[in-house]
Amino acid sequence: MKTYVTGVLTQLNIPNVNNRVYTTEATEQAIEKAKLKIEGRGMFSEFLPDERNSVNVNLDNIGGVVKSLFIQDDNLCAKVEVIPTRSGDHASQLFEQGLSQFMLSLKAYGSVSMIGSDIYVNELDIISIDLLPFDNINQDTIVKITKE
């Protein structure tokens, strides 16, 4: 049986805590580009990464493989399979101990434009989906952990 982490990455069409607005159109385009990576060479997920201000993926922190990205109820969501690595095993142990206050986070780059005080994401290239401790901002972003 495999363990999966599923959760909301960001709400679409409204400013997030960083005043970024991810539009449905730009997000759908990003999902299509990401699907090519997911189905081709794969897209990794860092679990509890030390560095969050980088677009690089640290192989020491790989704990999962992104299985899907999708839009649900005006949210960008992801499903990540936990894999048997040091970070994946550590996360599995935390889950088994009942610790589930985690969220998924988007690691990406792209182009933006300013409209008022909001930053609209025009183009987005998704690099990875990372598992982070829950930030207490939006309860809807707490992940669901399942075994299939």
Side-chain angles (χ1 to χ4, degrees):
M1 217 189 276
K2 296 179 180 181
T3 301
Y4 294 92
V5 178
T6 305
V8 172
L9 297 163
T10 191
Q11 292 178 296
L12 303 181
N13 304 310
I14 61 170
N16 66 12
V17 296
N18 298 322
N19 286 338
R20 287 193 188 100
V21 177
Y22 292 86
T23 65
T24 300
E25 181 182 353
T27 302
E28 287 172 340
Q29 291 171 359
I31 289 172
E32 287 306 311
K33 286 193 289 187
K35 279 182 181 178
L36 296 173
K37 293 178 190 175
I38 293 167
E39 294 167 0
R41 60 180 167 82
M43 181 182 289
F44 291 116
S45 178
E46 287 190 69
F47 285 9
L48 307 171
D50 300 324
E51 177 65 44
R52 284 292 301 151
N53 296 324
S54 169
V55 294
N56 297 317
V57 175
N58 182 340
L59 296 178
D60 291 335
N61 294 330
I62 299 298
V65 175
V66 178
K67 299 312 271 184
S68 64
L69 293 167
F70 54 96
I71 295 174
Q72 182 176 20
D73 300 327
D74 246 5
N75 296 305
L76 172 59
C77 303
K79 182 175 183 178
V80 176
E81 178 186 339
V82 179
I83 59 174
T85 61
R86 182 182 54 80
S87 291
D89 292 345
H90 179 67
S92 291
Q93 290 170 358
L94 294 174
F95 300 157
E96 288 170 14
Q97 295 171 12
L99 300 172
S100 60
Q101 295 288 300
F102 296 95
M103 61 184 232
L104 294 176
S105 178
L106 185 66
K107 185 182 287 187
Y109 65 91
S111 63
V112 298
S113 59
M114 292 287 296
I115 300 176
S117 62
D118 295 329
I119 305 166
Y120 279 77
V121 177
N122 303 320
E123 194 174 313
L124 187 64
D125 191 1
I126 300 170
I127 299 166
S128 71
I129 306 300
D130 298 338
L131 181 74
L132 304 175
F134 177 61
D135 62 8
N136 291 314
I137 293 175
N138 182 349
Q139 293 289 323
D140 293 337
T141 62
I142 295 174
V143 298
K144 292 170 185 57
I145 301 160
T146 58
K147 292 195 178 275
E148 298 175 19

